[in-house]
């Protein structure tokens, strides 16, 4: 026998479900603040803002997915100059224009909802790509605990969460830690960046990564030093392979202070 209360709550849920079908609930776009109807799976950015984002188009470097000029061969000049410890890097957007503003705000203006929304873009970008079926686990690039405390969150972790849901892979945030409080890489020149990030990370649970194919996630790849250093430590701890996924990738070398 159903109790009166459970029948009431069943009818209420049914009514709400029917209403949602007739009038889909509107979502709020964290970029422009406007409301929009759900239009593509898990995406949490409106179609107008999405159109304005600098999506990467081929030809691309086969190693880091940085766009290469028509006459340039792959791997790109960056990858030829400096081999990386990760096998393959994928970025979805260029680190320029509105994407640059969004990622900057997600990092420095306490806008965690922007990082999550960017994560939904990545989640949609990689879903149904067979390459990612072979991944065993997902690890976001960690921040130093002092930075997490002052920022309130790790944006890489917020970006990685929807990707983990989409790919149905475990998200591990305790395995790789940052034990060195480094200067922001964006404040360093190219030569300094490498030195700044060296030995900044530690794998505290080798068993968790041993023999695993790992997808490392971060907001931006510029020189790739931070991602490569994380990959190096994961491989040293026994990981089988490390691949990288970032929301954006820097393109113009002139942007990096030397
Ligand atoms: Zn919008
Ligand atoms: Zn490259």
């Amino acid at each position: 026998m159903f109790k009166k209360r459970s029948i009431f709550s069943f009818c209420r849920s049914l009514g709400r479900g029917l209403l949602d079908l007739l009038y889909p609930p509107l979502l709020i776009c964290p970029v422009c603040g406007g409301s929009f109807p759900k239009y593509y799976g898990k995406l949490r950015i409106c179609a107008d803002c999405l159109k304005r984002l600098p999506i990467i188009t081929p030809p691309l470097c086969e190693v880091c997915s940085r766009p290469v000029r028509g006459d340039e061969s792959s791997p790109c000049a960056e990858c030829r100059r400096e081999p990386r410890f990760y096998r393959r890097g994928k970025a979805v957007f260029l680190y320029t224009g509105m994407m640059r503003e969004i990622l900057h705000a997600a990092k420095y203006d306490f806008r965690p909802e922007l990082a999550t929304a960017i994560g939904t873009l990545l989640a949609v970008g990689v879903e149904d790509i067979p390459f990612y079926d072979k991944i065993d686990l997902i690890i976001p690039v960690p921040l130093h605990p002092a930075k997490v405390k002052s920022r309130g969150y790790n944006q890489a972790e917020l970006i990685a969460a929807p990707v983990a849901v989409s790919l149905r892979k475990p998200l591990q945030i305790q395995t790789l830690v940052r034990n060195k409080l480094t200067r922001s890489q964006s404040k360093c020149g190219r030569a300094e960046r490498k030195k700044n990030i060296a030995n900044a990370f530690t794998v505290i649970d080798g068993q968790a990564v041993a023999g695993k194919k790992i997808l490392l996630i971060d907001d931006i790849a510029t020189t790739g030093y931070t991602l490569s250093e994380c990959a190096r430590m994961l491989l040293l701890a026994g990981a089988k392979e490390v691949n990288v996924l970032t929301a954006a990738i820097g393109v113009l070398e002139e942007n990096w202070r030397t």
Side-chain angles (χ1 to χ4, degrees):
M1 275 287 276
F2 284 119
K3 282 185 186 160
K4 252 188 193 167
R5 191 177 285 179
S6 62
I7 292 172
F8 175 70
S9 80
F10 171 76
C11 291
R12 201 171 51 179
S13 310
L14 186 71
R16 200 175 288 155
L18 285 171
L19 264 177
D20 283 357
L21 268 179
L22 287 169
Y23 305 102
L26 293 176
L27 302 168
I28 302 295
C29 173
V31 180
C32 66
S35 57
F36 67 100
K38 204 170 158 186
Y39 62 97
Y40 189 105
K42 310 161 198 83
L43 269 190
R44 290 296 175 266
I45 285 184
C46 79
D48 287 337
C49 286
L50 185 59
K51 264 188 262 167
R52 293 171 60 202
L53 294 178
I55 198 154
I56 292 176
T57 51
L60 309 175
C61 166
E62 65 197 11
V63 181
C64 72
S65 86
R66 201 184 300 273
V68 291
R69 291 181 203 94
D71 55 345
E72 210 179 331
S73 63
S74 176
C76 73
E78 270 305 307
C79 292
R80 285 200 304 271
R81 185 206 300 244
E82 197 105 36
R84 312 287 186 344
F85 282 96
Y86 51 85
R87 186 177 153 229
R88 188 176 146 186
K90 180 176 169 59
V92 182
F93 299 95
L94 296 176
Y95 186 53
T96 183
M98 202 162 86
M99 183 46 81
R100 195 185 176 111
E101 285 171 32
I102 292 173
L103 291 178
H104 192 275
K107 222 168 179 167
Y108 302 112
D109 299 341
F110 195 73
R111 298 286 307 278
E113 74 283 8
L114 284 176
T116 301
I118 293 299
T120 67
L121 287 175
L122 262 63
V124 167
V126 299
E127 71 183 353
D128 302 329
I129 297 182
F131 176 80
Y132 295 99
D133 292 344
K134 296 173 196 118
I135 295 293
D136 295 307
L137 55 100
I138 294 177
I139 296 183
V141 170
L143 284 182
H144 189 275
K147 269 230 173 110
V148 178
K149 206 171 170 195
S150 62
R151 190 169 293 170
Y153 53 88
N154 174 3
Q155 73 282 356
E157 204 178 301
L158 297 181
I159 291 172
V163 179
V165 172
S166 177
L167 295 177
R168 295 190 189 91
K169 305 289 181 190
L171 178 69
Q172 288 197 2
I173 55 171
Q174 311 283 3
T175 308
L176 179 71
V177 297
R178 192 186 293 234
N179 47 23
K180 195 166 118 184
L181 189 57
T182 52
R183 287 175 64 201
S184 167
Q185 286 288 78
S186 61
K187 293 195 174 81
C188 300
R190 171 181 276 277
E192 255 181 299
R193 283 183 180 218
K194 204 169 179 181
K195 220 164 124 191
N196 187 42
I197 208 71
N199 299 312
F201 302 96
T202 307
V203 175
I204 54 169
D205 183 0
Q207 267 198 336
V209 300
K212 300 280 168 59
K213 284 191 171 186
I214 295 166
L215 182 63
L216 196 59
I217 295 188
D218 207 0
D219 49 356
I220 312 153
T222 44
T223 53
Y225 290 152
T226 302
L227 292 155
S228 188
E229 181 63 9
C230 287
R232 185 176 77 87
M233 296 315 291
L234 290 165
L235 291 170
L236 272 177
K240 192 174 178 188
E241 184 181 299
V242 180
N243 292 286
V244 160
L245 176 67
T246 58
I249 190 161
V251 172
L252 297 173
E253 202 162 322
E254 298 88 83
N255 287 346
W256 304 333
R257 291 196 285 147
T258 50

